[in-house]
Amino acid sequence: MIFYFVRHGIAEDWAESGLDQDRRLTERGRKRIRQCAQALRLLEIKPDLIFSSPLPRAAETASIIAEALSTDPPVHKEQLQPDAANSDFIAECLNANCSSLMIVGHQPNLSEYVAQLAGYGSNLIFKKGTVCRVEMQGEHGQISWLLPPKVLIALADVRQAKQKNKH
């Protein structure tokens, strides 16, 4: 099984309501996530299922990615809210009937889930829009790559340029 962990895009500093849980993506955040999603599409990444935090900034990120990858809409999971990480959620994911799963959420949860699967400390750097791929080998996972948005966008630009040169 392959896991893709994605941190939500750049969000508002504060919501009109004053509640952190209501913060949405900024226009810059939506643009960068669209660019990252384009890179994922060009890398031919297409998860069978996308789980997302129900908070607007993560839900918007997951929806943008799902649309770009032509997958089913994301499934919102309460366990992906900030500071709600628990080991039962990963067990649920491992039992999902799929070969690849994308999880869109928040820090520190994402680092904790990767640490749980791959045995690393929970100090991974997940900038907003970062994608981490973990490949399961039996009961243990291995981090294949962790790409920040700048690298994803650069990959997409190079790939598109190569495709244009072929035509």
Side-chain angles (χ1 to χ4, degrees), residues 37-166:
Q38 174 71 7
L40 295 174
R41 189 177 69 72
L42 290 170
L43 293 169
E44 299 178 358
I45 293 169
K46 190 166 184 172
D48 299 321
L49 188 58
I50 299 176
F51 287 160
S52 170
S53 161
L55 273 58
R57 58 190 181 268
E60 288 177 75
T61 298
S63 292
I64 290 168
I65 292 170
E67 184 177 325
L69 301 181
S70 301
T71 66
D72 290 336
V75 176
H76 296 158
K77 294 287 192 175
E78 295 297 321
Q79 302 97 312
L80 289 172
Q81 292 188 57
D83 301 321
N86 67 60
S87 58
D88 293 339
F89 178 68
I90 289 297
E92 177 186 337
C93 292
L94 287 167
N95 289 322
N97 189 20
C98 62
S99 61
S100 64
L101 173 66
M102 182 172 283
I103 297 173
V104 181
H106 313 270
Q107 278 294 79
N109 303 36
L110 296 176
S111 287
E112 291 171 10
Y113 289 139
V114 171
Q116 187 178 348
L117 288 170
Y120 289 87
S122 61
N123 59 352
L124 293 173
I125 298 173
F126 265 91
K127 294 181 182 261
K128 292 177 176 107
T130 293
V131 180
C132 177
R133 178 181 165 131
V134 176
E135 293 181 40
M136 298 304 294
Q137 299 168 347
E139 294 181 12
H140 303 285
Q142 181 174 341
I143 296 174
S144 300
W145 44 259
L146 187 137
L147 301 174
K150 286 183 181 181
V151 174
L152 284 167
I153 293 166
L155 284 171
D157 290 345
V158 167
R159 186 86 180 244
Q160 287 176 328
K162 284 183 177 180
Q163 288 176 347
K164 284 181 184 177
N165 289 338
K166 286 182 181 178

